[in-house]
Amino acid sequence: MAETIELRDIEVWDGNMAASQALRQVQVDVVAAYPITPSTPIVENYANFEANGYVDGEFVMVESEHAAMSGCIGASAAGGRVATATSSQGFALMVETLYSASGMRLPIILNVANRALGAPLNVNGDHSDMYLGRDSGWIQLDAYNPQHVYDLNFIAFKVAEDHDVRLPAMVHQDGFMTSHTAQGVHTMTDEVGYGFVGEFQPMNDMLDLDHPVTHGVQTEEDWHFEHKARQQHALMTVALPKIEAAFDAFEKLTGRRYNLVETHQMEDAEIAVICMGSSVETAMEVVNELRAQGIKAGVVGIRVFRPWPLEQLAQVLKNVKAIGALDRSSPHGSVGMLFNEVAGTLFNTDAKPVLTNYIYGLGGRDLTKAHLVGIFNDLKANMDAGKPTTPLQQYIGLRGPKLSFF
Amino acid sequence: MMSEIKKIKNLKEFSTSADRFEGANLLCPGCAHSIIVREVLNATNDDLILAASTGCLEVCTAVYPYTSWDASWIHIGFENGSTAVAGAEAMYKALKKKGRLKQPDRKPKFVAFGGDGATYDIGFQWISGCFERGHDMMYVCLDNEVYANTGGQRSSSTPIGSSATTSPAGRTSYGEKKNKKDMMAIMAAHGAPYVAQVSPSKWKDMVAKIQKGFATEGPVFINAVSPCTTEWKFSPEDTISIADLATDSLVFPLYEIINGTELNITYRPKNIIPVRDYLGAQGRFKHLFTKQYEYLIDEWQTRVDAKWEALQRREEARV
Amino acid sequence: MLEIRWHSRAGQGAVTGAKGLADVVSTTGKHVQAFAFYGSAKRGAAMTAYNRVDDQVIMNHEKFMAPDYVLVIDPALVYVADFTAFEKPDTVYIITTHLSTEELVASQPKLQGKKVYTVDCIKISQETIGKAIPNTPMLGALMKVSGMYEMDFFKENMIRVLKKLPQKIIDANMIAIQRAYDEVK
Ligand SMILES: Cc1ncc(C[n+]2csc(CCOP(=O)(O)OP(=O)(O)O)c2C)c(N)n1
Ligand code: SF4
Ligand SMILES: [Mg+2]
């Protein structure tokens, strides 16, 4: 039996340590992993736990990220709790198998310390890898700080392993800005943490030798569509309520509340930014300052990126007059993903806010409070004019002349 | 616990023993893949956890809503059958440690099947990783020297002079220009405890090796010659005789390498057949039997002789 | 909000120092943040690390900072790094050097008229820990200059933070912290 660790009520952990501790507490059976900055410490910490008897599952250090997810798929199909971690180029190398994992309905947990995708090679945080995963059929949860990383891991296991869901889930955090930033994290004891997720309940497990199963079949136009439709059904119809239920249960246990869509000062907001990751919190701080000046500003953070919380978001945005969608990934050839998603979310509603797009923070470029104040100034002007006063898409924090499109 | 070695007296008994791989599959009539798989599975009564890489075997045996497999089986992609089964093996170990196995007194064998494309080319890194880490598994390469599933493109197992769709013979080309990769040597160089080359036509030799492999702890590599009626271009009823030509011409010598150091030749043909006869029996080499390219047949013979010579020297020297 | 910027070379332990400080501060009920700027820099490259301390939950994740304290743990960095960037009128500098404060200010005019303290953390760590790891002594100096915590409380908590290290090393670190506390001027 693995030894327990006595945690203090508040530990000062960076996002990576928060993820490692959560993986330890839920007692993952198999971790197959490959290192890449900035997620490497997650598996290093985990290896340390193993080397010191704090976990007693199998830790398989494979030869690539593709193999890491391949091993996770084999292990998960065999029937047990499985997790790994990656970033950036490693995530990109994994993409083929991400689709396999979700299509095979295997509840694997992938911690992603979000990082830019080269070229040019860059180890710092942006959301390119997170966006790359958005059609892969995984549940994608987004953490804004180390506390969220810790909490969302438990929630991810609970939802993914639910027999009605059986879908893999990613827990995203911002590379460096969260993964390497130490903050206070309220902990659960090993017993309480494990108890929230509970014992792994196998289903269609290959290791049930009396009931052989075939995983990863061939289908063509005769059945493929039905499989994918059922997968989407599980993601849209089953997963969303299960995530909400897990959020409720988690709040009951810890007092910490999570929502599909996080809001700050949105009750009467006239202008708002919508963003993801650590930027959500920086924007909250800016909004507090603007509110003190009498400006009715608010922040919307996407907590559950996939499945997309369309109805909940439409509800939150219904009275807003100007919205800035902030994307930390270059859309290359179009408007940003959040712009598109927000536009699609609101299109058939009565809300007709002015919607503009900001691309920021690529390759870890700082998003400062001053940048955010500038964006809110734009939004205020858009609201007053009732139409965009700026180009639809602007690059924020870029050196040299201003860059904008559309 | 020790698994008991299955006793097999004759071919009839062998071919009708436990059917964990159904004849109901979509492989071509005469496909050697199915014969090899059956021989591997029939060599043991132990429980099996299987994997396959994308390729003929996979697309023809697990077409939803059917399955030809009466043992747990997994397919992920073209390159990662080895790692799929390694992941399952890791889970077995974890659950064993934690006392969560449903049938704790049964120890399954873990076997991955892959084509030569999946083995020599795209999946090479994954296999190398599995062998280096030492998973307790058997990897069986169904070596038909071509990407058969996608219609006959070359692989790094395709031999010189073979006409494949991406290395076709033509007015100015004799087909494939590069010699087959020596996968046996590469896998032995991993220090694998057991590496062997087998032919489905020499079933006793094959069963002995598979059983030896199953009795071995750690990663085992089996390279099985798999004559492909469609891409090698011979008639479906000739599969076994083509396999015999392969072994008896010494194009596919049967041998094993233990711990990367001890090489044993396990089959010495009584009558060694000229390589010419092996090549001549297959449409993929037809163009070699022309004035322009005939010199290649002599080169083939020289190469095969040299390799056989080298194997014998290694065997004698115990290296 | 109290904000601290560390200037060091990769490998000198600024990140560990910042995280250790955050850990100790956190035990007093305050909210903390410790982070660093990373590139693909290898050992010896100039780098910066940061602390934020507040009574409220810290939501600001911008890397931009106008620091209250600047801690320089490598002596040469006062001549090559932009260590006064975004300074405030009352920013306090604690600098590792073998020079006296007057000599240092004379050698680096940027420091003229600033609140400058000096301490030789390199020498202290070499003489106590046996290696040039100036991060823990710098924390001792910071305790003295800022009056943040009583020395006993701070050391007791640092022992907990360092608990994975061999006892000998922990003891040496405590001596280093105390010496820097006593020697900073
Ligand atoms: C990543 C990837 N690349 C290419 C393919 C297309 N593909 C599927 S099977 C195959 C060839 C299989 O050849 P081999 O492994 O020799 O097996 P065989 O069909 O000959 O038994 C190819 C190229 C694929 N499925 N996945
Ligand atoms: S193409 Fe060849 S390998 Fe594929 S099923 Fe047919 S005979 Fe077998
Ligand atoms: Mg092939």
Side-chain angles (χ1 to χ4, degrees):
Chain A
M1 265 296 281
E3 270 184 65
T4 54
I5 296 180
E6 297 275 328
L7 299 174
R8 289 180 294 153
D9 291 346
I10 300 177
E11 291 278 357
V12 178
W13 286 339
D14 60 20
N16 281 333
M17 182 52 98
S20 312
Q21 290 282 2
L23 297 188
R24 179 187 66 76
Q25 290 191 313
V26 302
Q27 290 292 316
V28 174
D29 294 313
V30 172
V31 171
Y34 194 81
I36 180 167
T37 307
S39 65
T40 304
I42 297 178
V43 287
E44 287 177 339
N45 297 335
Y46 192 82
N48 253 312
F49 293 146
E50 207 220 3
N52 291 289
Y54 296 117
V55 293
D56 53 9
E58 284 290 302
F59 177 64
V60 190
M61 211 55 211
V62 293
E63 78 291 345
S64 74
E65 288 84 357
H66 194 294
M69 188 47 68
S70 302
C72 284
I73 290 170
S76 183
R81 186 163 288 155
V82 175
T84 186
T86 195
S87 299
S88 182
Q89 315 297 131
F91 187 96
L93 191 57
M94 252 185 208
V95 165
E96 186 198 28
T97 50
L98 295 180
Y99 281 73
S100 305
S102 63
M104 292 161 81
R105 307 292 296 271
L106 299 172
I108 299 161
I109 302 307
L110 172 61
N111 273 277
V112 187
N114 295 333
R115 167 184 155 184
L117 278 168
L121 195 68
N122 175 308
V123 298
N124 275 288
D126 72 25
H127 294 166
S128 303
D129 45 10
M130 173 160 67
Y131 281 27
L132 181 59
R134 70 187 195 263
D135 286 353
S136 66
W138 286 56
I139 293 166
Q140 289 179 281
L141 309 175
D142 192 31
Y144 311 156
N145 62 38
Q147 180 76 62
H148 298 169
V149 175
Y150 180 68
D151 295 347
L152 291 176
N153 263 282
F154 293 93
I155 289 163
F157 279 104
K158 191 169 184 69
V159 173
E161 291 176 1
D162 187 302
H163 279 193
D164 293 335
V165 178
R166 286 183 297 122
L167 285 169
M170 297 175 198
V171 177
H172 292 275
Q173 57 176 305
D174 282 358
F176 291 106
M177 283 155 293
T178 304
S179 70
H180 284 61
T181 296
Q183 292 188 239
V185 175
H186 294 264
T187 63
M188 294 181 274
T189 63
D190 286 4
E191 199 185 338
V192 169
Y194 184 80
F196 179 75
V197 176
E199 191 157 321
F200 183 84
Q201 304 296 333
M203 184 171 177
N204 299 333
D205 42 329
M206 291 170 71
L207 285 174
D208 182 354
L209 302 173
D210 290 329
H211 302 96
V213 282
T214 294
H215 277 278
V217 294
Q218 177 86 2
T219 59
E220 293 305 336
E221 79 286 356
D222 51 355
W223 282 111
H224 187 85
F225 206 176
E226 281 70 23
H227 271 91
K228 286 295 166 190
R230 282 190 69 157
Q231 190 182 326
Q232 170 79 342
H233 180 266
L235 191 55
M236 301 308 299
T237 324
V238 186
L240 268 179
K242 293 276 185 184
I243 294 169
E244 284 190 292
F247 285 166
D248 291 343
F250 194 77
E251 183 184 22
K252 233 182 237 148
L253 185 70
T254 66
R256 293 191 291 280
R257 176 73 211 167
Y258 292 93
N259 300 287
L260 301 176
V261 177
E262 303 290 358
T263 56
H264 182 69
Q265 300 281 10
M266 285 302 294
E267 297 74 29
D268 61 343
E270 295 175 332
I271 57 177
V273 296
I274 174 165
C275 53
M276 297 175 74
S278 55
S279 310
V280 176
E281 294 200 332
T282 310
M284 287 178 180
E285 186 145 313
V286 170
V287 159
N288 290 346
E289 291 166 17
L290 295 177
R291 285 272 168 174
Q293 300 163 31
I295 299 168
K296 288 187 172 174
V299 183
V300 176
I302 300 300
R303 174 72 69 202
V304 180
F305 175 37
R306 285 293 182 270
W308 181 255
L310 189 135
E311 283 164 28
Q312 294 77 3
L313 184 64
Q315 183 62 25
V316 162
L317 294 175
K318 68 175 193 272
N319 294 321
V320 183
K321 304 210 170 67
I323 301 171
L326 276 55
D327 284 289
R328 195 167 207 149
S329 173
S330 180
H332 289 312
S334 185
V335 284
M337 181 280 297
L338 281 176
F339 178 95
N340 272 329
E341 296 283 12
V342 172
T345 297
L346 295 179
F347 193 76
N348 292 319
T349 69
D350 294 333
K352 290 285 173 278
V354 183
L355 177 63
T356 47
N357 185 209
Y358 295 86
I359 306 299
Y360 77 98
L362 301 187
R365 178 62 51 84
D366 196 12
L367 176 72
T368 64
K369 287 162 71 173
H371 290 142
L372 283 157
V373 170
I375 291 170
F376 277 112
N377 286 341
D378 284 357
L379 298 181
K380 177 125 193 347
N382 293 352
M383 172 178 75
D384 293 343
K387 59 176 197 224
T389 57
T390 63
L392 223 50
Q393 181 180 60
Q394 297 183 68
Y395 276 60
I396 295 299
L398 184 70
R399 269 207 301 276
K402 239 178 148 5
L403 190 65
S404 59
F405 302 97
F406 303 106
Chain B
M1 101 247 57
M2 272 293 291
S3 64
E4 169 192 336
I5 304 266
K6 184 171 166 180
K7 306 248 176 349
I8 293 154
K9 287 194 215 82
N10 55 48
L11 185 57
K12 179 142 190 294
E13 184 186 300
F14 180 48
S15 62
T16 53
S17 60
D19 262 324
R20 285 182 284 187
F21 177 62
E22 299 287 338
N25 62 57
L26 302 174
L27 292 157
C28 296
C31 175
H33 283 4
S34 64
I35 305 171
I36 296 163
V37 169
R38 207 171 259 265
E39 292 184 20
V40 171
L41 269 51
N42 282 355
T44 182
N45 285 328
D46 284 355
D47 293 297
L48 289 163
I49 304 287
L50 306 171
S53 299
T54 310
C56 280
L57 180 70
E58 171 266 325
V59 303
C60 296
T61 62
V63 182
Y64 185 83
Y66 305 106
T67 181
S68 308
W69 302 94
D70 197 14
S72 278
W73 179 96
I74 185 171
H75 156 255
I76 310 175
F78 189 11
E79 59 288 309
N80 48 7
S82 55
T83 315
V85 108
E89 185 251 6
M91 184 57 78
Y92 170 81
K93 280 198 224 150
L95 297 189
K96 187 173 172 185
K97 238 187 282 180
K98 297 185 180 195
R100 291 198 354 243
L101 289 171
K102 288 183 180 167
Q103 297 89 4
D105 47 343
R106 280 150 68 180
K107 182 183 182 314
K109 302 267 188 278
F110 296 85
V111 183
F113 292 100
D116 48 294
T119 307
Y120 288 59
D121 292 341
I122 197 168
F124 182 62
Q125 171 190 311
W126 286 254
I127 296 167
S128 180
C130 286
F131 274 63
E132 176 267 326
R133 292 191 299 274
H135 292 279
D136 192 10
M137 60 182 276
M138 177 182 287
Y139 188 93
V140 180
C141 175
L142 307 169
D143 186 4
N144 60 11
E145 304 189 321
V146 71
Y147 296 171
N149 183 50
T150 42
Q153 300 80 27
R154 80 167 291 270
S155 79
S156 58
S157 172
T158 305
I160 288 184
S162 176
S163 183
T165 61
T166 48
S167 58
R171 271 198 307 137
T172 57
S173 173
Y174 55 77
E176 176 59 31
K177 299 287 182 311
K178 290 166 206 80
N179 207 357
K180 184 183 170 94
K181 195 185 218 172
D182 189 351
M183 197 67 185
M184 288 285 291
I186 295 168
M187 295 320 294
H190 280 74
Y194 192 66
V195 168
Q197 185 146 279
V198 301
S199 163
S201 59
K202 301 287 185 270
W203 68 274
K204 278 188 181 158
D205 177 80
M206 177 159 171
V207 169
K209 285 172 177 163
I210 299 297
Q211 292 189 333
K212 206 162 173 178
F214 279 147
T216 302
E217 206 160 310
V220 168
F221 181 78
I222 304 289
N223 198 60
V225 57
S226 185
C228 168
T229 150
T230 307
E231 300 302 338
W232 292 16
K233 300 189 172 65
F234 60 81
S235 95
E237 63 274 19
D238 291 340
T239 305
I240 292 299
S241 54
I242 295 283
D244 275 339
L245 286 176
T247 55
D248 291 11
S249 65
L250 299 171
V251 169
F252 266 92
L254 301 182
Y255 61 104
E256 61 185 14
I257 306 171
I258 297 164
N259 293 326
T261 50
E262 185 189 335
L263 187 147
N264 303 310
I265 293 170
T266 58
Y267 172 70
R268 285 167 213 278
K270 278 195 203 79
N271 299 310
I272 295 176
I273 287 162
V275 172
R276 168 179 286 272
D277 294 0
Y278 170 69
L279 301 177
Q282 306 168 53
R284 60 176 172 154
F285 296 115
K286 196 174 67 185
H287 55 285
L288 299 186
F289 294 83
T290 59
K291 255 214 169 74
Q292 191 184 359
Y293 297 134
E294 217 171 359
Y295 68 97
L296 286 161
I297 298 176
D298 295 334
E299 283 185 22
W300 253 99
Q301 187 67 58
T302 311
R303 227 177 10 255
V304 167
D305 289 347
K307 176 78 189 180
W308 180 238
E309 190 56 36
L311 287 176
Q312 295 189 97
R313 276 205 309 273
R314 263 196 77 177
E315 183 185 42
E316 221 175 274
R318 313 307 295 152
V319 292
Chain C
M1 171 109 62
L2 177 75
E3 296 186 302
I4 301 171
R5 186 172 68 214
W6 299 65
H7 289 267
S8 88
R9 292 188 184 278
Q12 285 177 327
V15 180
T16 316
K19 284 189 173 171
L21 177 63
D23 203 323
V24 174
V25 173
S26 161
T27 56
T28 65
K30 286 189 191 297
H31 296 275
V32 294
Q33 227 183 36
F35 62 98
F37 272 178
Y38 295 83
S40 303
K42 301 290 179 245
R43 204 132 50 101
M47 52 98 59
T48 47
Y50 303 79
N51 281 113
R52 288 194 175 102
V53 177
D54 204 356
D55 294 328
Q56 324 264 309
V57 175
I58 301 168
M59 300 215 287
N60 184 12
H61 295 278
E62 67 180 348
K63 300 185 215 173
F64 171 81
M65 180 184 282
D68 300 295
Y69 288 89
V70 170
L71 312 179
V72 183
I73 66 173
D74 184 273
L77 290 177
V78 283
Y79 307 107
V80 294
D82 187 10
F83 71 106
T84 58
F86 311 114
E87 64 179 351
K88 302 197 279 200
D90 54 354
T91 296
V92 175
Y93 292 87
I94 308 177
I95 293 166
T96 288
T97 175
H98 64 280
L99 303 175
S100 70
T101 305
E102 297 70 37
E103 287 168 339
L104 177 73
V105 175
S107 75
Q108 175 47 285
K110 276 201 218 171
L111 286 170
Q112 245 145 44
K114 309 286 166 62
K115 292 186 190 161
V116 183
Y117 296 85
T118 53
V119 57
D120 196 344
C121 295
I122 297 278
K123 180 163 161 242
I124 292 174
S125 60
Q126 271 167 340
E127 290 176 359
T128 53
I129 307 162
K131 271 196 278 189
I133 313 171
N135 56 357
T136 41
M138 178 53 84
L139 288 173
L142 176 66
M143 288 306 121
K144 174 73 165 286
V145 173
S146 66
M148 207 180 276
Y149 297 114
E150 292 294 328
M151 208 42 181
D152 287 346
F153 170 85
F154 181 72
K155 282 209 261 183
E156 186 185 306
N157 274 285
M158 276 309 286
I159 289 172
R160 179 181 51 74
V161 171
L162 300 175
K163 67 174 180 282
K164 288 235 177 78
L165 300 175
Q167 191 59 42
K168 244 175 65 191
I169 307 279
I170 297 177
D171 295 345
N173 271 284
M174 291 310 121
I175 299 168
I177 289 171
Q178 185 66 47
R179 268 191 60 185
Y181 183 91
D182 296 336
E183 292 174 22
V184 65
K185 288 199 184 77

